[in-house]
Amino acid sequence: MDQYAPTGSGDDSAATPRSERIGHASITFRESAGILTRATGFMTDYDYTLNPYSGCSFGCTYCYAAFFTRNRALQDSWGYWVQVKENAVDRLRRARTPLAGKSIYLSSVTDPYQPVERRLGLVRELLEILADRGAHVVVQTRSPWVTRDIDVFRQLERVRVNMTVTTDSEAVRRVFEPHCPTTEKRLDAISEVAAAGVPTCITATPLLPLDDVERFADRLVATRVPRFVVQPFHSAKGRFVAGTRQAAMDLVARYRWDDEAYARAVKHLRVRLPHLDEGRAGFAPH
C-alpha cells in the first residue's frame, strides 16, 4: 500500500480463534460486518472501497495504513499479521447496493494480493461478483500474483490495474519494503497484464531514491504501460513503523533525496513517459 494512497477500510468484528502462519506473517480469520465502505477523503472520486484483508504482510515501513490499526501492538508489528475477512464473498454477494456503473477501489488499506490469497482465492471470487454486477474497478497492488486474474479483469466492464513500483534500487527496496516482491518481478507482472489488453498504470507513490533515473525510465517505458503516477516521499513528515525510521533516514541522506532531487527525477520522467500524473489525479477512476 502507498503512503499517500486513498484511505477507507470498513472495520470488522472480533477475530475467530482459527489462525495459521505463512512465512513471517500470522494469519487470522474473522467475520466482517460489511465489505463495501463508502469512499471519503482522498477517495471521494470513488463510490466504494473494498478491503478483503486487514493488515498486510508486505510490511512497507512508511505505510500510512499501519497507523489506522486499533492499538499500538498491531501498529508496531505491522507487516507481520494479516486478518482474513472470511465471509467477504458472502457479504458482497448478498449486498443490496446497486453496483452497476459504481467505481470501487480494491484495496485502500491492504494489498488485495496477500500471499494467503494464492490459496484462498478470495479476491478472485470478489472480482467475479463485481464483473457480474457491472462494477467499475481499480485494483491497487505490488504483487506479481495479480497476473492470475487477467481473465477476470477482461470480464469487467471497466477496470484498471495499478502496480506500485517505487524505486529501481534493491537496496532501497529492502529498507523501505522489506517483505515485498522485487521491482523486476512487479514490472514483469504489470507488463503481462498490459500485454493482455487490460488497462494498467504504474504508481511510484511515493517515489523513493533512485540509482539511475535514465535506466529507470527505460525500464518503465519497456513495460508498455500507458499511465504513471508519482508522489513525493516526505521524509521529515513521514511516519514509520517501529524501529525503521533511522535506517530510512540514513538512506535518504546517502542519496541526497530531497525535494529538489525528486523534482529533477519527475522532470525527466515526464519527458520520457507517455502519461504522467502527480498526486490524487492519478488515482481517480477513468
Side-chain angles (χ1 to χ4, degrees):
M1 292 168 295
D2 306 324
Q3 183 184 18
Y4 303 102
T7 60
S9 61
D11 285 341
D12 33 345
S13 56
T16 69
R18 190 158 65 94
S19 64
E20 60 183 64
R21 292 195 69 83
I22 295 181
H24 63 277
S26 171
I27 314 296
T28 58
F29 296 78
R30 64 192 306 171
E31 297 280 307
S32 175
I35 193 61
L36 291 173
T37 301
R38 180 70 67 176
T40 59
F42 196 98
M43 295 290 293
T44 52
D45 291 326
Y46 290 84
D47 295 301
Y48 300 100
T49 62
L50 196 164
N51 291 276
Y53 301 102
S54 298
C56 183
S57 62
F58 292 147
C60 302
T61 61
Y62 53 77
C63 184
Y64 72 90
F67 302 96
F68 292 128
T69 54
R70 293 184 299 276
N71 58 59
R72 184 61 182 267
L74 289 176
Q75 177 180 313
D76 288 348
S77 59
W78 183 257
Y80 291 88
W81 58 272
V82 174
Q83 294 169 347
V84 179
K85 299 179 182 180
E86 59 182 344
N87 64 336
V89 170
D90 184 62
R91 285 290 182 186
L92 185 60
R93 186 174 288 123
R94 293 172 179 270
R96 297 181 179 179
T97 305
L99 295 182
K102 299 297 184 181
S103 56
I104 296 175
Y105 190 86
L106 176 79
S107 299
S108 58
V109 293
T110 189
D111 193 302
Y113 289 94
Q114 296 295 309
V116 71
E117 170 63 19
R118 299 184 188 186
R119 179 171 62 80
L120 297 180
L122 189 61
V123 168
R124 184 174 178 85
E125 289 190 72
L126 292 170
L127 286 169
E128 289 171 343
I129 295 170
L130 294 173
D132 287 344
R133 297 182 63 180
H136 299 170
V137 181
V138 171
V139 176
Q140 184 76 46
T141 187
R142 61 187 69 219
S143 172
W145 193 247
V146 70
T147 58
R148 179 200 65 184
D149 293 333
I150 286 174
D151 61 324
V152 186
F153 298 146
R154 296 174 72 173
Q155 296 172 25
L156 284 152
E157 180 179 308
R158 293 182 67 179
V159 65
R160 187 174 73 241
V161 176
N162 291 351
M163 177 65 73
T164 301
V165 177
T166 57
T167 181
D168 63 341
S169 167
E170 280 300 289
V172 172
R173 183 196 63 77
R174 283 191 293 269
V175 168
F176 287 91
E177 304 171 352
H179 302 302
C180 288
T182 65
T183 294
E184 196 60 28
K185 287 181 179 178
R186 294 185 230 177
L187 291 172
D188 285 346
I190 200 62
S191 296
E192 184 177 343
V193 177
V198 177
T200 51
C201 178
I202 291 176
T203 57
T205 54
L207 184 63
L208 297 175
L210 299 172
D211 280 339
D212 188 321
V213 67
E214 294 273 355
R215 285 203 301 264
F216 187 53
D218 287 343
R219 185 64 182 92
L220 294 179
V221 170
T223 64
R224 299 188 181 277
V225 169
R227 303 181 65 89
F228 300 83
V229 186
V230 293
Q231 284 184 293
F233 170 69
H234 295 300
S235 57
K237 296 188 292 184
R239 295 189 292 179
F240 289 84
V241 176
T244 65
R245 172 175 284 277
Q246 191 56 53
M249 293 302 96
D250 290 347
L251 204 58
V252 166
R254 189 189 318 160
Y255 277 81
R256 297 180 180 178
W257 193 249
D258 55 16
D259 289 345
E260 290 184 6
Y262 166 81
R264 287 194 299 271
V266 172
K267 183 177 180 180
H268 180 81
L269 294 174
R270 197 173 295 282
V271 171
R272 297 291 311 283
L273 301 179
H275 184 110
L276 180 65
D277 287 313
E278 192 165 8
R280 177 177 170 177
F283 283 97
H286 297 281

